[in-house]
Amino acid sequence: MAGMSTSEKSSAETLATPVQFLKGVGPARCELLERLGLRTVSDVLFFFPRDYQDFSDERDAGELEEGKLQSVRGVVEEIELRSTGAGGCVLGVLVRSAGGYLRGVWFNQPFMQEKFSHGQRVMLSGKPKYEGLVWVMRHPRFETLADEEDEPAGEILPVYPLTEGLQQWQMRKIVRGVVETHSDLLEEVFPQSYLDEHALWPLRRALPQIHFPDDHASLERARRRFVYQELFILQLALAVKRRQQHDQRRSPVLEATAKIDARIRRLFPFELTAGQKQTISEIAADMSAATPMNRLLQGDVGSGKTVVAVYAMLLAVAHGYQAAMMAPTEVLARQHVLTLEKLLAASQVRRVQFTGGLPPKQRRATVEQIVAGEVDVVVGTQAIIQDDVAFDKLGLVVIDEQHKFGVRQRATLKHAGLDPHYLVMTATPIPRTVTMTLFGDLDVSTLRDSPPGRQPVNTYCVGEEKRAGWWEFFRKKLRDGRQAYIVTPLVDESEQLAAASLEATYETLANGELEAFRLGLIHGRMSPAEKDAAMDDFRRGEIQALVCTSVVEVGVDVPNATLMAIEDAQRFGLAQLHQLRGRISRGSYPGFCCAFADPQTEEAAERLRAFTSTTDGFELAETDFRLRGPGDLFGTQQHGLPPLRIADLLRDNEVLDEARRDAHALIAADPGLSNPDHAKLRERVVKRYGKALEVGDVG
Ligand code: ADP
Ligand code: MG
């Protein structure tokens, strides 16, 4: 771009100044800052507080009011650590302020003692209570006051992430200095009219207030500005990506004509559910366009996704194209093969299986068939990608994610000619806000109903004392002809340990509670052939109760298996528990899931309560999200997106809706962000998401 003025250029340069040139930052501190990822002045400006200390209501100890958040500054006069018996202790720190005394009290935190010393100047903040002779704050937040001139006065102070060797007050001092000298150099990202329209504070106003807010209202406004910006830039990137996947690629037009539709439906021995009809029509509409489909199909285990995927594959085949379906594990791939065999028994569709376990000769032959276009449908694992399989005429790729692939590392299959359509399936119900971010570049179809005649699964959380009774119940059901899964957790993420604990469980049951029954074992360290054999035995009923870990065989379909015992259920995440339970909801007998658990934390107890109280996967997903935050399961990094720095998908879901709507509107009006007013936005999009989303050149 021509015409960049020298002053603009120099402010950009100034903002890029390395931190070592800042006042008060020597080589040692510079290294500490770098450890926090702070290399330049600009990094420091955008180093958002992780929290705030609220000293806005500061009082003397003589003027405190009960139950309100207040702060008191003073000098430490007494530090006393007392035992309270049974290994407990209480730390009392007496602080003298100008007009009275305040005691800070910490229970069972002996290490807090080291943080105090006689004569130390501190600020305590919390909700005080008058106890006998003195005001007391329990577990107050506290600050060591550095030197008099830096002392907070009636402020809301930022709390920054720190690293060993760097104190909170030092960090504040550095940031305060940079904010004072450099925030005026910042260039606005949004056009002024946009700020006005959306009631957003300008950058230069918001930035100082996010670090050192005047009051609560200012902090909220400042925060909103940055949360909006962060989510808006992400949504722009996703919208751009959608357009690129769409507009700049060509795919075969695969229309579901009435004749084709009737021919496919005739193969299904049942009436499609309303949800299946709806999602099929969404998919068919996508596939009849000359641009690629990029659709996420989500639905609980057993909701009938595979049937929908098979419809889509047959649609491709009906037009003379090939379709590939990939599962994350061999056993799941095999499960799909079986489903397909069942549905396609009466059809002439040519199909092959492609997994890592194929003998070399057969593998070569299969590759040749695929390349020559002699097969229509390929079902397998990622081995399809790893091998040099170039499809002759690939129309559709179905990726059964089952939560193991990252969508970002999405499989790209080699193929000649046009780009295939993509359908990604996930059996993990995803909270709405997460769908809108991590999967924001995909269209989403959701199956909420399940095929008729399904029996509910009754779930119970069972303590040690009721164990024997449950095994009795299991024995009765097994004698009636039902089958059972017995799931043990993956200890330490190590397959070897898991196998050991699994074998121990197996031995115990085989020589005890389930002695009279045929038990089997399946785990991740078995070869694919061994796993297949065990699964087949289970399917045929030769194994009555299968001892397994949680990682294997999520989508396995054995309708006669209606019993499940989960050992150490408190160790499992909610999504995982729900997935496990999904295995026993597939037949016409009611399912019984018994979670043996000893929840040690309130969170674990709540998780198990949620698990036993509903079988709605979407409801559970929202609960899980609320309990654990998005970090665990839906970690953005795991999906290849840079982490959000300030927005919180739980707390900021309304801003997310707004940002998404606004981003779509802007991209519709200015697809390439080529309007000069949008140059800064475009720059932010490319800088932050260019690599992760491959949206290099926006235009
Ligand atoms: P998912 O892939 O979502 O776990 P599947 O597609 O494998 O579910 O379906 C689970 C079971 O339900 C399969 O045995 C399948 O044949 C059966 N099924 C699917 N759709 C229907 C339907 N509309 N009516 C009756 N049974 C169905
Ligand atoms: Mg399935």
Side-chain angles (χ1 to χ4, degrees):
M1 248 191 304
M4 196 186 249
S5 78
T6 44
S7 77
E8 265 176 81
K9 198 167 163 222
S10 71
S11 49
E13 273 171 9
T14 312
L15 290 170
T17 308
V19 287
Q20 72 193 83
F21 298 113
L22 289 172
K23 214 175 85 194
V25 179
R29 195 159 290 169
C30 180
E31 212 186 293
L32 295 177
L33 291 178
E34 281 200 12
R35 230 185 273 160
L36 291 166
L38 308 178
R39 282 175 194 86
T40 65
V41 163
S42 165
D43 292 339
V44 176
L45 285 173
F46 290 98
F47 189 55
F48 295 124
R50 65 170 170 76
D51 198 2
Y52 297 85
Q53 288 255 48
D54 187 351
F55 298 124
S56 56
D57 189 355
E58 191 192 333
R59 306 194 183 191
D60 194 86
E63 302 162 346
L64 288 170
E65 267 178 77
E66 198 157 303
K68 274 178 71 181
L69 178 64
Q70 296 151 90
S71 307
V72 173
R73 79 177 68 206
V75 177
V76 173
E77 291 222 331
E78 233 178 75
I79 306 160
E80 187 192 25
L81 185 65
R82 271 191 298 120
S83 156
T84 55
C89 67
V90 57
L91 173 71
V93 175
L94 190 69
V95 172
R96 178 173 50 80
S97 76
Y101 283 93
L102 170 73
R103 189 188 296 278
V105 170
W106 287 265
F107 293 96
N108 301 323
Q109 298 186 359
F111 54 88
M112 286 296 293
Q113 187 180 14
E114 294 160 26
K115 304 195 186 237
F116 296 98
S117 58
H118 285 272
Q120 178 188 14
R121 294 174 47 71
V122 295
M123 175 104 97
L124 299 189
S125 83
K127 294 180 177 171
K129 207 172 163 215
Y130 198 67
E131 289 184 6
L133 294 167
V134 72
W135 285 96
V136 173
M137 282 182 185
R138 291 181 174 221
H139 295 258
R141 311 189 63 160
F142 91 101
E143 287 276 312
T144 301
L145 300 177
D147 47 73
E148 304 242 349
E149 72 184 82
D150 288 321
E151 286 189 8
E155 288 169 290
I156 300 171
L157 284 183
V159 176
Y160 295 103
L162 293 175
T163 183
E164 171 111 39
L166 195 62
Q167 305 290 324
Q168 194 58 250
W169 66 268
Q170 294 171 322
M171 193 67 216
R172 283 183 193 147
K173 198 164 168 176
I174 292 167
V175 177
R176 199 190 283 274
V178 174
V179 167
E180 273 165 13
T181 50
H182 291 78
S183 12
D184 283 347
L185 298 176
L186 290 170
E187 283 181 63
E188 185 52 61
V189 176
F190 294 101
Q192 183 59 44
S193 58
Y194 197 93
L195 293 173
D196 295 343
E197 242 168 77
H198 294 80
L200 293 170
W201 269 9
L203 184 53
R204 289 181 192 182
R205 177 161 185 203
L207 196 95
Q209 291 294 320
I210 195 84
H211 290 288
F212 301 98
D214 289 338
D215 48 40
H216 293 275
S218 305
L219 174 56
E220 268 319 298
R221 290 299 298 271
R223 189 173 177 279
R224 194 183 112 78
R225 143 89 208 204
F226 290 110
V227 168
Y228 180 91
Q229 177 173 333
E230 178 164 56
L231 296 174
F232 185 67
I233 297 293
L234 170 59
Q235 291 300 327
L236 280 180
L238 292 166
V240 167
K241 167 113 185 169
R242 275 165 74 105
R243 281 192 78 94
Q244 285 183 348
Q245 283 173 338
H246 225 77
D247 298 2
Q248 293 161 13
R249 308 231 175 133
R250 285 288 161 264
S251 289
V253 172
L254 307 172
E255 201 185 338
T257 59
K259 207 169 128 212
I260 292 175
D261 179 69
R263 220 164 65 208
I264 298 176
R265 288 196 195 209
R266 252 205 309 279
L267 290 172
F268 300 148
F270 38 68
E271 174 77 4
L272 294 172
T273 65
Q276 284 171 325
K277 285 180 188 157
Q278 173 63 27
T279 50
I280 283 174
S281 75
E282 287 162 3
I283 288 167
D286 284 357
M287 290 175 68
S288 69
T291 52
M293 165 169 76
N294 279 290
R295 191 167 279 278
L296 176 71
L297 173 61
Q298 61 168 343
D300 245 329
V301 180
S303 57
K305 294 180 297 299
T306 312
V307 169
V308 173
V310 169
Y311 184 102
M313 293 201 285
L314 294 177
L315 183 51
V317 174
H319 286 273
Y321 280 83
Q322 293 167 301
M325 184 186 225
M326 282 184 287
T329 67
E330 309 263 338
V331 173
L332 278 175
R334 230 175 113 66
Q335 174 79 51
H336 287 318
V337 170
L338 292 178
T339 307
L340 228 68
E341 288 309 315
K342 231 173 20 188
L343 291 172
L344 302 186
S347 97
Q348 286 159 28
V349 170
R350 298 163 301 176
R351 49 222 183 244
V352 288
Q353 193 182 147
F354 198 100
T355 57
L358 283 185
K361 210 166 144 200
Q362 196 181 338
R363 191 186 182 104
R364 261 197 312 279
T366 307
V367 171
E368 272 166 29
Q369 282 180 308
I370 297 171
V371 174
E374 288 162 11
V375 290
D376 305 309
V377 168
V378 182
V379 179
T381 59
Q382 279 183 325
I384 312 181
I385 314 169
Q386 280 140 18
D387 248 48
D388 233 6
V389 190
F391 281 77
D392 175 48
K393 234 181 141 190
L394 188 59
L396 172 72
V397 178
V398 179
I399 302 173
D400 184 358
E401 217 182 16
Q402 300 282 2
H403 217 70
K404 293 202 173 149
F405 286 0
V407 172
R408 304 289 151 210
Q409 303 108 274
R410 186 160 63 206
T412 337
L413 289 180
K414 291 209 183 72
H415 57 88
L418 299 170
D419 281 331
H421 296 280
Y422 270 96
L423 181 66
V424 180
M425 297 197 286
T426 173
T428 309
I430 303 165
R432 201 184 62 94
T433 49
V434 176
T435 319
M436 278 163 54
T437 45
L438 293 185
F439 304 96
D441 55 334
L442 303 178
D443 295 305
V444 180
S445 289
T446 304
L447 278 177
R448 278 186 183 272
D449 49 3
S450 50
R454 288 283 159 78
Q455 292 289 316
V457 176
N458 305 287
T459 308
Y460 304 87
C461 185
V462 177
E464 203 53 37
E465 72 288 354
K466 298 221 175 108
R467 245 182 129 82
W470 272 93
W471 289 125
E472 176 67 50
F473 179 77
F474 267 48
R475 285 194 292 273
K476 178 178 173 301
K477 291 286 175 189
L478 289 172
R479 277 194 297 268
D480 286 349
R482 304 287 78 75
Q483 288 168 280
Y485 294 98
I486 292 135
V487 187
T488 67
L490 250 188
V491 186
D492 283 347
E493 310 275 302
S494 143
E495 289 278 357
Q496 194 156 359
L497 277 177
S501 93
L502 202 69
E503 269 155 30
T505 305
Y506 175 87
E507 289 300 322
T508 311
L509 290 171
N511 297 304
E513 300 283 6
L514 300 183
E515 170 169 52
F517 301 92
R518 298 183 299 277
L519 298 194
L521 194 63
I522 190 166
H523 58 75
R525 279 169 68 85
M526 289 162 63
S527 73
E530 290 171 320
K531 284 194 230 173
D532 272 350
M535 251 356 272
D536 282 343
D537 286 349
F538 188 56
R539 230 175 247 121
R540 284 199 309 268
E542 256 147 60
I543 293 174
Q544 292 171 284
L546 185 66
V547 182
C548 54
T549 56
S550 54
V551 284
V552 264
E553 341 333 333
V554 202
V556 165
D557 191 0
V558 182
N560 190 47
T562 56
L563 303 168
M564 175 172 287
I566 304 175
E567 296 284 350
D568 286 324
Q570 74 279 356
R571 289 174 175 239
F572 292 91
L574 198 42
Q576 206 179 15
L577 286 171
H578 181 62
Q579 283 244 340
L580 288 170
R581 173 170 62 185
R583 295 188 209 171
I584 55 165
S585 62
R586 298 174 162 257
S588 45
Y589 297 98
F592 293 92
C593 176
C594 115
F596 293 126
D598 179 17
Q600 301 283 350
T601 64
E602 185 45 40
E603 198 222 284
E606 193 171 338
R607 215 184 310 135
L608 289 162
R609 262 198 305 278
F611 180 52
T612 51
S613 68
T614 178
T615 51
D616 180 337
F618 289 91
E619 194 184 324
L620 288 173
E622 300 289 343
T623 305
D624 200 25
F625 188 55
R626 182 169 53 73
L627 286 177
R628 305 203 297 171
D632 278 19
L633 260 181
F634 303 104
T636 48
Q637 276 139 314
Q638 178 194 329
H639 288 261
L641 286 182
L644 294 171
R645 287 199 243 176
I646 188 164
D648 170 342
L649 293 184
L650 212 47
R651 173 175 167 189
D652 299 315
N653 68 78
E654 277 169 31
V655 186
L656 176 63
D657 279 332
E658 190 185 338
R660 182 175 171 81
R661 262 193 324 269
D662 296 346
H664 283 209
L666 187 67
I667 292 297
D670 181 13
L673 294 176
S674 47
N675 180 331
D677 280 351
H678 302 149
K680 276 273 158 200
L681 288 171
R682 175 181 165 142
E683 193 185 301
R684 302 304 316 158
V685 168
V686 173
K687 193 156 171 218
R688 186 129 182 91
Y689 295 104
K691 220 162 115 205
L693 291 174
E694 293 163 4
V695 285
D697 195 3
V698 169

